[in-house]
Amino acid sequence: MTIKPLIILPDPVLRQVSKPIERVDADLQRLTDDMLETMYDAPGIGLAAIQVGVPRRMLVIDLSKEGEEKQPLVFINPEIVSSSDDRSVYEEGCLSIPDYYAEVERPAQVTVKYLDREGKEQSVVADGLLATCLQHEIDHLNGVLFIDHISRLKREMVIKKFTKASKSKAL
Ligand code: NI
């Protein structure tokens, strides 16, 4: 397994819309393993393929706590088929926007259809942190970042800060 470099704001790659996966094969399974390894190393609880520069509709999640047994989840071609009217607020962060956190309001419950690591059709009714995490990661597949859900003023400040940081690193 390989730890892949993460794509960081303001890299325009993060704004690409990812394409559906046509075949679940050994190459794809290797990519899911690399993504999990990269996520655990960061560490984070969710990662979309586009965050390692692969514009394909796939994401990994693991909500297990430190010291607990790992619970890796793989979602291929995930699709939200229904969302609840009631909403919940979580403080979100993103491996592509390191050390920045903000509260985001989203539907509290979502039903997601997807293929698992073996290419088998599955569906999950998610609530709590899993619901938020799935929506955050599926947003990535559509080129959407969690900062798109906060105020424009705050978003512009974050983008400015990261743009400045990326330029100084290039020198
Ligand atoms: Ni993210």
Side-chain angles (χ1 to χ4, degrees):
M1 285 190 268
T2 317
I3 293 167
K4 303 219 173 221
L6 289 164
I7 308 284
I8 304 292
L9 189 78
D11 195 319
V13 166
L14 291 171
R15 294 305 190 176
Q16 282 184 29
V17 176
S18 295
K19 293 202 168 67
I21 285 162
E22 279 154 18
R23 199 157 38 109
V24 179
D25 55 15
D27 281 347
L28 189 79
Q29 288 174 337
R30 204 166 307 127
L31 176 62
T32 68
D33 294 343
D34 288 349
M35 283 170 57
L36 282 163
E37 192 74 2
T38 304
M39 180 182 78
Y40 291 135
D41 177 69
I45 59 171
L47 186 72
I50 191 67
Q51 292 179 275
V52 292
V54 179
R56 289 289 176 275
R57 302 189 79 83
M58 178 168 71
L59 56 96
V60 295
I61 290 176
D62 191 330
L63 301 180
S64 63
K65 299 206 171 65
E66 217 188 313
E68 282 179 8
E69 203 182 319
K70 286 186 168 54
Q71 291 162 13
L73 300 171
V74 175
F75 297 85
I76 296 165
N77 295 340
E79 201 184 315
I80 296 173
V81 290
S82 71
S83 318
S84 64
D85 289 332
D86 53 310
R87 301 173 73 86
S88 64
V89 176
Y90 273 93
E91 185 168 75
E92 296 188 23
C94 180
L95 292 177
S96 295
I97 313 173
D99 302 317
Y100 181 76
Y101 303 90
E103 287 193 337
V104 177
E105 192 189 296
R106 300 180 186 269
Q109 193 182 73
V110 287
T111 304
V112 175
K113 238 175 46 179
Y114 63 100
L115 302 178
D116 65 19
R117 195 179 176 279
E118 271 64 54
K120 210 171 138 227
E121 273 185 41
Q122 303 280 359
S123 128
V124 63
V125 181
D127 57 16
L129 184 56
L130 181 60
T132 284
C133 199
L134 273 167
Q135 291 172 82
H136 175 120
E137 302 308 332
I138 291 170
D139 268 357
H140 273 299
L141 307 183
N142 296 318
V144 174
L145 300 171
F146 85 96
I147 54 170
D148 299 338
H149 298 286
I150 64 178
S151 77
R152 186 174 158 187
L153 184 70
K154 280 195 206 163
R155 177 169 59 255
E156 281 173 356
M157 275 170 55
V158 183
I159 293 172
K160 207 169 140 188
K161 190 181 142 202
F162 277 82
T163 304
K164 223 173 127 185
S166 71
K167 277 184 186 145
S168 59
K169 243 180 266 161
L171 289 174

Short mmCIF file of all heavy atoms in Angstrom, two decimals, residues 55-114:
data_model
loop_
_atom_site.label_atom_id
_atom_site.label_comp_id
_atom_site.label_asym_id
_atom_site.label_seq_id
_atom_site.Cartn_x
_atom_site.Cartn_y
_atom_site.Cartn_z
N PRO A 55 -9.84 11.58 -10.50
CA PRO A 55 -11.21 12.09 -10.66
C PRO A 55 -12.23 10.97 -10.92
O PRO A 55 -12.88 10.95 -11.95
CB PRO A 55 -11.09 13.05 -11.83
CG PRO A 55 -9.95 12.52 -12.64
CD PRO A 55 -9.03 11.79 -11.71
N ARG A 56 -12.36 10.05 -9.98
CA ARG A 56 -13.31 8.95 -10.09
C ARG A 56 -14.22 8.95 -8.86
O ARG A 56 -13.79 9.33 -7.77
CB ARG A 56 -12.58 7.60 -10.16
CG ARG A 56 -11.85 7.39 -11.46
CD ARG A 56 -12.81 7.16 -12.63
NE ARG A 56 -12.14 7.05 -13.92
CZ ARG A 56 -11.81 8.09 -14.68
NH1 ARG A 56 -12.09 9.32 -14.30
NH2 ARG A 56 -11.20 7.91 -15.83
N ARG A 57 -15.48 8.48 -9.06
CA ARG A 57 -16.46 8.58 -7.98
C ARG A 57 -16.26 7.46 -6.95
O ARG A 57 -16.88 6.41 -7.02
CB ARG A 57 -17.88 8.59 -8.55
CG ARG A 57 -18.08 9.74 -9.54
CD ARG A 57 -19.52 9.92 -9.95
NE ARG A 57 -20.28 10.62 -8.96
CZ ARG A 57 -20.32 11.95 -8.83
NH1 ARG A 57 -19.62 12.72 -9.62
NH2 ARG A 57 -21.06 12.50 -7.89
N MET A 58 -15.38 7.73 -6.04
CA MET A 58 -15.09 6.76 -4.99
C MET A 58 -14.61 7.49 -3.74
O MET A 58 -13.92 8.51 -3.83
CB MET A 58 -14.00 5.81 -5.46
CG MET A 58 -13.64 4.82 -4.39
SD MET A 58 -12.66 3.52 -5.05
CE MET A 58 -11.16 4.39 -5.36
N LEU A 59 -14.99 6.95 -2.58
CA LEU A 59 -14.53 7.54 -1.33
C LEU A 59 -14.38 6.48 -0.27
O LEU A 59 -14.95 5.38 -0.37
CB LEU A 59 -15.50 8.64 -0.88
CG LEU A 59 -16.96 8.26 -0.69
CD1 LEU A 59 -17.25 7.95 0.76
CD2 LEU A 59 -17.84 9.42 -1.16
N VAL A 60 -13.57 6.79 0.73
CA VAL A 60 -13.40 5.88 1.87
C VAL A 60 -13.69 6.65 3.15
O VAL A 60 -13.48 7.87 3.23
CB VAL A 60 -11.97 5.28 1.91
CG1 VAL A 60 -11.73 4.39 0.70
CG2 VAL A 60 -10.89 6.36 2.00
N ILE A 61 -14.18 5.91 4.14
CA ILE A 61 -14.53 6.50 5.44
C ILE A 61 -14.14 5.49 6.52
O ILE A 61 -14.26 4.27 6.32
CB ILE A 61 -16.05 6.79 5.52
CG1 ILE A 61 -16.44 7.96 4.59
CG2 ILE A 61 -16.50 7.08 6.96
CD1 ILE A 61 -17.93 8.24 4.53
N ASP A 62 -13.66 5.97 7.64
CA ASP A 62 -13.50 5.13 8.83
C ASP A 62 -13.75 5.99 10.06
O ASP A 62 -12.99 6.90 10.34
CB ASP A 62 -12.09 4.51 8.89
CG ASP A 62 -12.01 3.42 9.96
OD1 ASP A 62 -12.74 3.53 10.98
OD2 ASP A 62 -11.23 2.47 9.78
N LEU A 63 -14.84 5.68 10.76
CA LEU A 63 -15.23 6.51 11.90
C LEU A 63 -14.81 5.87 13.24
O LEU A 63 -15.21 6.35 14.29
CB LEU A 63 -16.76 6.74 11.90
CG LEU A 63 -17.32 7.43 10.65
CD1 LEU A 63 -18.82 7.61 10.76
CD2 LEU A 63 -16.64 8.78 10.42
N SER A 64 -14.03 4.79 13.18
CA SER A 64 -13.60 4.16 14.45
C SER A 64 -12.69 5.12 15.21
O SER A 64 -11.98 5.93 14.62
CB SER A 64 -12.87 2.85 14.17
OG SER A 64 -11.69 3.10 13.43
N LYS A 65 -12.77 5.02 16.56
CA LYS A 65 -11.95 5.92 17.38
C LYS A 65 -10.56 5.36 17.56
O LYS A 65 -10.32 4.17 17.34
CB LYS A 65 -12.64 6.11 18.73
CG LYS A 65 -14.02 6.72 18.59
CD LYS A 65 -14.43 7.47 19.84
CE LYS A 65 -15.70 8.26 19.60
NZ LYS A 65 -16.85 7.37 19.33
N GLU A 66 -9.65 6.23 17.97
CA GLU A 66 -8.27 5.82 18.20
C GLU A 66 -8.22 4.67 19.21
O GLU A 66 -8.90 4.73 20.24
CB GLU A 66 -7.47 7.02 18.72
CG GLU A 66 -6.06 7.06 18.19
CD GLU A 66 -5.24 8.15 18.87
OE1 GLU A 66 -5.75 9.29 18.99
OE2 GLU A 66 -4.11 7.84 19.30
N GLY A 67 -7.46 3.64 18.89
CA GLY A 67 -7.35 2.50 19.80
C GLY A 67 -8.39 1.43 19.54
O GLY A 67 -8.22 0.29 19.94
N GLU A 68 -9.48 1.79 18.83
CA GLU A 68 -10.49 0.80 18.46
C GLU A 68 -10.06 0.05 17.20
O GLU A 68 -9.18 0.53 16.47
CB GLU A 68 -11.82 1.49 18.14
CG GLU A 68 -12.62 1.93 19.33
CD GLU A 68 -13.93 2.62 18.92
OE1 GLU A 68 -14.28 2.61 17.72
OE2 GLU A 68 -14.57 3.16 19.82
N GLU A 69 -10.72 -1.07 16.95
CA GLU A 69 -10.45 -1.80 15.71
C GLU A 69 -10.90 -0.95 14.52
O GLU A 69 -11.94 -0.29 14.58
CB GLU A 69 -11.22 -3.12 15.72
CG GLU A 69 -10.60 -4.15 14.79
CD GLU A 69 -11.40 -5.44 14.78
OE1 GLU A 69 -11.85 -5.87 15.86
OE2 GLU A 69 -11.59 -5.99 13.67
N LYS A 70 -10.13 -0.94 13.45
CA LYS A 70 -10.47 -0.13 12.28
C LYS A 70 -11.74 -0.64 11.60
O LYS A 70 -12.00 -1.85 11.57
CB LYS A 70 -9.31 -0.17 11.28
CG LYS A 70 -8.11 0.66 11.71
CD LYS A 70 -7.07 0.70 10.60
CE LYS A 70 -5.99 1.73 10.84
NZ LYS A 70 -5.31 1.64 12.11
N GLN A 71 -12.53 0.30 11.08
CA GLN A 71 -13.76 -0.06 10.36
C GLN A 71 -13.78 0.63 9.01
O GLN A 71 -14.55 1.57 8.79
CB GLN A 71 -14.99 0.35 11.18
CG GLN A 71 -15.17 -0.47 12.45
CD GLN A 71 -16.09 0.20 13.45
OE1 GLN A 71 -16.79 1.17 13.14
NE2 GLN A 71 -16.09 -0.31 14.66
N PRO A 72 -12.92 0.18 8.09
CA PRO A 72 -12.86 0.85 6.78
C PRO A 72 -14.14 0.62 5.97
O PRO A 72 -14.63 -0.50 5.88
CB PRO A 72 -11.66 0.17 6.10
CG PRO A 72 -11.48 -1.12 6.81
CD PRO A 72 -11.98 -0.94 8.20
N LEU A 73 -14.65 1.71 5.41
CA LEU A 73 -15.83 1.65 4.54
C LEU A 73 -15.44 2.19 3.17
O LEU A 73 -14.77 3.22 3.09
CB LEU A 73 -16.97 2.50 5.11
CG LEU A 73 -17.48 2.12 6.51
CD1 LEU A 73 -18.45 3.20 7.02
CD2 LEU A 73 -18.15 0.75 6.49
N VAL A 74 -15.84 1.49 2.12
CA VAL A 74 -15.53 1.92 0.76
C VAL A 74 -16.85 2.16 0.02
O VAL A 74 -17.74 1.30 0.03
CB VAL A 74 -14.71 0.83 0.02
CG1 VAL A 74 -14.50 1.21 -1.44
CG2 VAL A 74 -13.37 0.61 0.71
N PHE A 75 -16.99 3.32 -0.58
CA PHE A 75 -18.20 3.67 -1.33
C PHE A 75 -17.81 3.99 -2.77
O PHE A 75 -17.09 4.96 -3.02
CB PHE A 75 -18.88 4.89 -0.71
CG PHE A 75 -19.38 4.67 0.70
CD1 PHE A 75 -18.52 4.84 1.79
CD2 PHE A 75 -20.69 4.28 0.94
CE1 PHE A 75 -18.98 4.63 3.09
CE2 PHE A 75 -21.15 4.08 2.24
CZ PHE A 75 -20.29 4.24 3.31
N ILE A 76 -18.29 3.17 -3.71
CA ILE A 76 -18.01 3.37 -5.13
C ILE A 76 -19.30 3.86 -5.80
O ILE A 76 -20.37 3.30 -5.53
CB ILE A 76 -17.50 2.06 -5.76
CG1 ILE A 76 -16.16 1.67 -5.10
CG2 ILE A 76 -17.35 2.18 -7.28
CD1 ILE A 76 -15.73 0.24 -5.36
N ASN A 77 -19.20 4.89 -6.64
CA ASN A 77 -20.36 5.51 -7.28
C ASN A 77 -21.49 5.80 -6.28
O ASN A 77 -22.65 5.48 -6.54
CB ASN A 77 -20.90 4.62 -8.41
CG ASN A 77 -19.91 4.48 -9.56
OD1 ASN A 77 -19.00 5.29 -9.71
ND2 ASN A 77 -20.09 3.45 -10.38
N PRO A 78 -21.18 6.42 -5.15
CA PRO A 78 -22.22 6.68 -4.15
C PRO A 78 -23.22 7.72 -4.66
O PRO A 78 -22.83 8.63 -5.41
CB PRO A 78 -21.44 7.23 -2.95
CG PRO A 78 -20.23 7.86 -3.54
CD PRO A 78 -19.88 7.01 -4.75
N GLU A 79 -24.45 7.54 -4.29
CA GLU A 79 -25.52 8.44 -4.75
C GLU A 79 -26.52 8.64 -3.61
O GLU A 79 -27.00 7.65 -3.04
CB GLU A 79 -26.21 7.76 -5.92
CG GLU A 79 -26.96 8.69 -6.83
CD GLU A 79 -27.70 7.90 -7.91
OE1 GLU A 79 -27.06 6.97 -8.49
OE2 GLU A 79 -28.88 8.17 -8.13
N ILE A 80 -26.80 9.89 -3.27
CA ILE A 80 -27.78 10.17 -2.23
C ILE A 80 -29.17 10.02 -2.85
O ILE A 80 -29.50 10.74 -3.79
CB ILE A 80 -27.59 11.59 -1.65
CG1 ILE A 80 -26.22 11.68 -0.95
CG2 ILE A 80 -28.72 11.94 -0.67
CD1 ILE A 80 -25.83 13.07 -0.49
N VAL A 81 -29.96 9.07 -2.36
CA VAL A 81 -31.28 8.85 -2.95
C VAL A 81 -32.37 9.54 -2.14
O VAL A 81 -33.45 9.82 -2.68
CB VAL A 81 -31.60 7.36 -3.17
CG1 VAL A 81 -30.74 6.79 -4.28
CG2 VAL A 81 -31.42 6.54 -1.91
N SER A 82 -32.12 9.82 -0.85
CA SER A 82 -33.06 10.66 -0.11
C SER A 82 -32.36 11.32 1.07
O SER A 82 -31.37 10.80 1.59
CB SER A 82 -34.27 9.86 0.34
OG SER A 82 -33.92 8.98 1.37
N SER A 83 -32.87 12.48 1.48
CA SER A 83 -32.32 13.24 2.60
C SER A 83 -33.46 13.64 3.52
O SER A 83 -34.56 13.94 3.05
CB SER A 83 -31.65 14.53 2.13
OG SER A 83 -30.90 14.32 0.98
N SER A 84 -33.20 13.68 4.81
CA SER A 84 -34.24 14.08 5.77
C SER A 84 -34.44 15.59 5.74
O SER A 84 -33.54 16.34 5.34
CB SER A 84 -33.85 13.64 7.18
OG SER A 84 -32.68 14.33 7.59
N ASP A 85 -35.61 16.02 6.19
CA ASP A 85 -35.86 17.46 6.33
C ASP A 85 -35.14 18.00 7.55
O ASP A 85 -34.69 19.15 7.55
CB ASP A 85 -37.37 17.74 6.45
CG ASP A 85 -38.08 17.50 5.13
OD1 ASP A 85 -37.43 17.64 4.07
OD2 ASP A 85 -39.28 17.15 5.16
N ASP A 86 -35.08 17.18 8.61
CA ASP A 86 -34.38 17.70 9.79
C ASP A 86 -32.89 17.74 9.54
O ASP A 86 -32.33 16.93 8.79
CB ASP A 86 -34.73 16.93 11.08
CG ASP A 86 -34.52 15.45 10.94
OD1 ASP A 86 -35.01 14.90 9.95
OD2 ASP A 86 -33.83 14.86 11.79
N ARG A 87 -32.24 18.72 10.16
CA ARG A 87 -30.84 18.99 9.85
C ARG A 87 -29.99 18.90 11.10
O ARG A 87 -30.51 18.96 12.21
CB ARG A 87 -30.74 20.38 9.20
CG ARG A 87 -31.57 20.44 7.92
CD ARG A 87 -31.66 21.82 7.32
NE ARG A 87 -30.43 22.27 6.68
CZ ARG A 87 -30.10 22.01 5.43
NH1 ARG A 87 -30.88 21.26 4.68
NH2 ARG A 87 -29.00 22.50 4.91
N SER A 88 -28.70 18.71 10.90
CA SER A 88 -27.80 18.72 12.05
C SER A 88 -26.56 19.51 11.70
O SER A 88 -26.24 19.71 10.53
CB SER A 88 -27.44 17.30 12.48
OG SER A 88 -26.74 16.66 11.46
N VAL A 89 -25.88 19.97 12.74
CA VAL A 89 -24.70 20.81 12.55
C VAL A 89 -23.48 20.08 13.13
O VAL A 89 -23.53 19.59 14.25
CB VAL A 89 -24.87 22.16 13.28
CG1 VAL A 89 -23.60 23.00 13.17
CG2 VAL A 89 -26.05 22.93 12.70
N TYR A 90 -22.43 19.99 12.33
CA TYR A 90 -21.16 19.42 12.81
C TYR A 90 -20.04 20.39 12.48
O TYR A 90 -20.10 21.10 11.47
CB TYR A 90 -20.86 18.10 12.10
CG TYR A 90 -21.46 16.88 12.76
CD1 TYR A 90 -22.70 16.41 12.35
CD2 TYR A 90 -20.80 16.21 13.79
CE1 TYR A 90 -23.27 15.28 12.94
CE2 TYR A 90 -21.36 15.10 14.38
CZ TYR A 90 -22.58 14.63 13.96
OH TYR A 90 -23.14 13.53 14.55
N GLU A 91 -19.02 20.39 13.32
CA GLU A 91 -17.82 21.13 12.97
C GLU A 91 -17.03 20.26 12.00
O GLU A 91 -16.64 19.14 12.34
CB GLU A 91 -17.00 21.45 14.21
CG GLU A 91 -15.81 22.31 13.87
CD GLU A 91 -15.13 22.87 15.11
OE1 GLU A 91 -14.43 22.12 15.79
OE2 GLU A 91 -15.32 24.07 15.38
N GLU A 92 -16.84 20.73 10.77
CA GLU A 92 -16.16 19.94 9.76
C GLU A 92 -14.76 20.47 9.49
O GLU A 92 -14.46 21.64 9.68
CB GLU A 92 -16.98 19.96 8.44
CG GLU A 92 -18.33 19.31 8.61
CD GLU A 92 -19.10 19.14 7.29
OE1 GLU A 92 -18.46 19.10 6.21
OE2 GLU A 92 -20.33 19.04 7.37
N GLY A 93 -13.93 19.54 9.02
CA GLY A 93 -12.60 19.87 8.55
C GLY A 93 -12.38 19.08 7.28
O GLY A 93 -13.27 18.33 6.86
N CYS A 94 -11.23 19.23 6.64
CA CYS A 94 -10.98 18.52 5.38
C CYS A 94 -9.48 18.36 5.20
O CYS A 94 -8.73 19.30 5.44
CB CYS A 94 -11.56 19.36 4.23
SG CYS A 94 -11.34 18.59 2.62
N LEU A 95 -9.07 17.17 4.77
CA LEU A 95 -7.63 16.93 4.59
C LEU A 95 -7.05 17.83 3.49
O LEU A 95 -5.84 18.04 3.45
CB LEU A 95 -7.36 15.45 4.27
CG LEU A 95 -7.65 14.48 5.43
CD1 LEU A 95 -7.44 13.05 4.98
CD2 LEU A 95 -6.80 14.80 6.64
N SER A 96 -7.90 18.37 2.62
CA SER A 96 -7.42 19.26 1.57
C SER A 96 -7.40 20.72 2.03
O SER A 96 -6.96 21.60 1.26
CB SER A 96 -8.30 19.12 0.32
OG SER A 96 -8.15 17.82 -0.21
N ILE A 97 -7.91 20.97 3.25
CA ILE A 97 -7.90 22.33 3.81
C ILE A 97 -7.39 22.19 5.25
O ILE A 97 -8.14 22.35 6.20
CB ILE A 97 -9.32 22.96 3.78
CG1 ILE A 97 -9.97 22.76 2.40
CG2 ILE A 97 -9.27 24.45 4.14
CD1 ILE A 97 -11.43 23.20 2.32
N PRO A 98 -6.11 21.84 5.42
CA PRO A 98 -5.62 21.46 6.74
C PRO A 98 -5.76 22.56 7.79
O PRO A 98 -5.59 23.74 7.48
CB PRO A 98 -4.14 21.13 6.50
CG PRO A 98 -3.85 21.35 5.07
CD PRO A 98 -5.10 21.72 4.37
N ASP A 99 -6.09 22.12 8.99
CA ASP A 99 -6.16 22.99 10.17
C ASP A 99 -7.21 24.09 10.06
O ASP A 99 -7.10 25.12 10.70
CB ASP A 99 -4.79 23.62 10.48
CG ASP A 99 -3.73 22.56 10.71
OD1 ASP A 99 -4.06 21.58 11.40
OD2 ASP A 99 -2.62 22.69 10.18
N TYR A 100 -8.23 23.88 9.25
CA TYR A 100 -9.35 24.81 9.24
C TYR A 100 -10.63 24.05 9.54
O TYR A 100 -10.88 23.00 8.96
CB TYR A 100 -9.47 25.54 7.89
CG TYR A 100 -10.61 26.53 7.90
CD1 TYR A 100 -10.50 27.75 8.58
CD2 TYR A 100 -11.84 26.22 7.31
CE1 TYR A 100 -11.56 28.63 8.64
CE2 TYR A 100 -12.91 27.10 7.37
CZ TYR A 100 -12.76 28.30 8.05
OH TYR A 100 -13.82 29.17 8.12
N TYR A 101 -11.41 24.59 10.47
CA TYR A 101 -12.66 23.92 10.88
C TYR A 101 -13.78 24.94 10.91
O TYR A 101 -13.57 26.09 11.27
CB TYR A 101 -12.49 23.28 12.27
CG TYR A 101 -11.35 22.29 12.30
CD1 TYR A 101 -10.05 22.71 12.64
CD2 TYR A 101 -11.55 20.96 11.95
CE1 TYR A 101 -8.99 21.81 12.63
CE2 TYR A 101 -10.50 20.06 11.94
CZ TYR A 101 -9.22 20.49 12.28
OH TYR A 101 -8.17 19.60 12.26
N ALA A 102 -14.97 24.50 10.53
CA ALA A 102 -16.13 25.39 10.60
C ALA A 102 -17.40 24.55 10.71
O ALA A 102 -17.45 23.41 10.25
CB ALA A 102 -16.20 26.27 9.35
N GLU A 103 -18.41 25.14 11.36
CA GLU A 103 -19.68 24.44 11.51
C GLU A 103 -20.45 24.47 10.20
O GLU A 103 -20.54 25.51 9.54
CB GLU A 103 -20.51 25.11 12.61
CG GLU A 103 -19.96 24.80 13.99
CD GLU A 103 -20.92 25.19 15.10
OE1 GLU A 103 -21.78 26.06 14.86
OE2 GLU A 103 -20.80 24.61 16.20
N VAL A 104 -20.99 23.30 9.83
CA VAL A 104 -21.77 23.18 8.60
C VAL A 104 -23.08 22.48 8.93
O VAL A 104 -23.11 21.50 9.66
CB VAL A 104 -21.00 22.36 7.53
CG1 VAL A 104 -21.85 22.17 6.27
CG2 VAL A 104 -19.68 23.03 7.17
N GLU A 105 -24.18 23.04 8.38
CA GLU A 105 -25.49 22.43 8.59
C GLU A 105 -25.85 21.60 7.36
O GLU A 105 -25.72 22.07 6.23
CB GLU A 105 -26.51 23.54 8.80
CG GLU A 105 -27.85 23.02 9.31
CD GLU A 105 -28.92 24.10 9.31
OE1 GLU A 105 -28.77 25.09 10.05
OE2 GLU A 105 -29.88 23.95 8.55
N ARG A 106 -26.29 20.37 7.60
CA ARG A 106 -26.67 19.47 6.50
C ARG A 106 -27.87 18.64 6.94
O ARG A 106 -28.15 18.55 8.14
CB ARG A 106 -25.53 18.50 6.17
CG ARG A 106 -24.22 19.13 5.73
CD ARG A 106 -23.22 18.03 5.45
NE ARG A 106 -21.88 18.51 5.15
CZ ARG A 106 -21.43 18.79 3.94
NH1 ARG A 106 -22.20 18.65 2.89
NH2 ARG A 106 -20.18 19.21 3.76
N PRO A 107 -28.55 17.96 5.99
CA PRO A 107 -29.58 17.00 6.38
C PRO A 107 -29.04 16.00 7.41
O PRO A 107 -27.90 15.53 7.28
CB PRO A 107 -29.96 16.32 5.07
CG PRO A 107 -29.69 17.36 4.03
CD PRO A 107 -28.46 18.10 4.53
N ALA A 108 -29.84 15.70 8.43
CA ALA A 108 -29.37 14.85 9.53
C ALA A 108 -29.29 13.38 9.11
O ALA A 108 -28.51 12.61 9.66
CB ALA A 108 -30.30 14.99 10.73
N GLN A 109 -30.11 12.99 8.13
CA GLN A 109 -30.14 11.60 7.70
C GLN A 109 -30.16 11.53 6.17
O GLN A 109 -30.89 12.28 5.53
CB GLN A 109 -31.38 10.92 8.27
CG GLN A 109 -31.35 9.40 8.16
CD GLN A 109 -32.63 8.78 8.70
OE1 GLN A 109 -33.69 8.87 8.06
NE2 GLN A 109 -32.54 8.16 9.86
N VAL A 110 -29.36 10.62 5.63
CA VAL A 110 -29.38 10.41 4.17
C VAL A 110 -29.39 8.91 3.86
O VAL A 110 -28.82 8.11 4.61
CB VAL A 110 -28.16 11.04 3.46
CG1 VAL A 110 -28.25 12.55 3.39
CG2 VAL A 110 -26.84 10.61 4.09
N THR A 111 -30.03 8.57 2.76
CA THR A 111 -29.95 7.20 2.25
C THR A 111 -29.04 7.23 1.04
O THR A 111 -29.23 8.05 0.13
CB THR A 111 -31.35 6.69 1.86
OG1 THR A 111 -32.21 6.80 3.00
CG2 THR A 111 -31.31 5.23 1.41
N VAL A 112 -28.02 6.38 1.07
CA VAL A 112 -27.01 6.39 0.01
C VAL A 112 -26.93 5.01 -0.64
O VAL A 112 -26.82 3.99 0.04
CB VAL A 112 -25.62 6.79 0.57
CG1 VAL A 112 -24.54 6.68 -0.50
CG2 VAL A 112 -25.66 8.21 1.13
N LYS A 113 -27.01 5.01 -1.95
CA LYS A 113 -26.84 3.80 -2.76
C LYS A 113 -25.39 3.79 -3.25
O LYS A 113 -24.86 4.83 -3.62
CB LYS A 113 -27.74 3.92 -3.99
CG LYS A 113 -28.74 2.82 -4.16
CD LYS A 113 -29.67 3.08 -5.34
CE LYS A 113 -28.98 3.55 -6.62
NZ LYS A 113 -29.90 3.78 -7.73
N TYR A 114 -24.75 2.63 -3.29
CA TYR A 114 -23.34 2.59 -3.72
C TYR A 114 -22.94 1.16 -4.06
O TYR A 114 -23.70 0.21 -3.83
CB TYR A 114 -22.43 3.14 -2.61
CG TYR A 114 -22.45 2.33 -1.33
CD1 TYR A 114 -21.41 1.43 -1.05
CD2 TYR A 114 -23.48 2.44 -0.41
CE1 TYR A 114 -21.41 0.68 0.13
CE2 TYR A 114 -23.49 1.69 0.76
CZ TYR A 114 -22.45 0.82 1.03
OH TYR A 114 -22.46 0.07 2.18
#
